[in-house]
Amino acid sequence: MSKNNKRIFIGYYNKEIDEVYDGLVYAVFVSLGFAFIENILYVVLSNSITTAIVRALCAVPSHACDAIFMGYHLSIAKQYSTKGNRKKEWVYKI
């Protein structure tokens, strides 16, 4: 794999992620940070407190729930990385 592709999977190659729970926690925190930045941009661009409240109640939990599934599948793929083609099966589920 080239050096540029390794940068994309920086979390996947991190040796600190050695359990399924680690992938879940990191994925949720990254998604909540993304949702925070996204909400700030929406509020600044729309100048509406209603937009901020609706997004806080709908978009933020949605980002966290989606990240749970992505973190789980990425962690399982990392655990199966030594077992051949099973890794591809779990990575494609992301």
Side-chain angles (χ1 to χ4, degrees):
M1 186 176 278
S2 72
K3 200 171 199 177
N4 290 334
N5 288 342
K6 285 187 178 182
R7 289 183 193 154
I8 294 171
F9 293 107
I10 205 162
Y12 182 82
Y13 290 110
N14 187 349
K15 59 185 168 186
E16 297 296 325
I17 301 176
D18 55 356
E19 294 182 17
V20 174
Y21 190 72
D22 295 338
L24 291 173
V25 171
Y26 293 145
V28 169
F29 276 102
V30 167
S31 73
L32 291 178
F34 177 77
F36 175 75
I37 299 297
E38 191 178 45
N39 286 343
I40 296 294
L41 291 174
Y42 269 101
V43 171
V44 167
L45 294 176
S46 70
N47 291 328
S48 171
I49 193 69
T50 308
T51 302
I53 293 170
V54 169
R55 289 194 53 83
L57 296 175
C58 297
V60 174
S62 174
H63 279 83
C65 290
D66 294 341
I68 289 171
F69 293 110
M70 289 190 296
Y72 174 76
H73 285 100
L74 190 64
S75 296
I76 294 295
K78 185 171 181 176
Q79 287 184 350
Y80 280 122
S81 65
T82 59
K83 297 179 182 172
N85 289 334
R86 292 286 313 255
K87 176 179 89 170
K88 291 179 185 176
E89 175 184 328
W90 285 98
V91 170
Y92 291 142
K93 289 182 180 181
I94 297 173

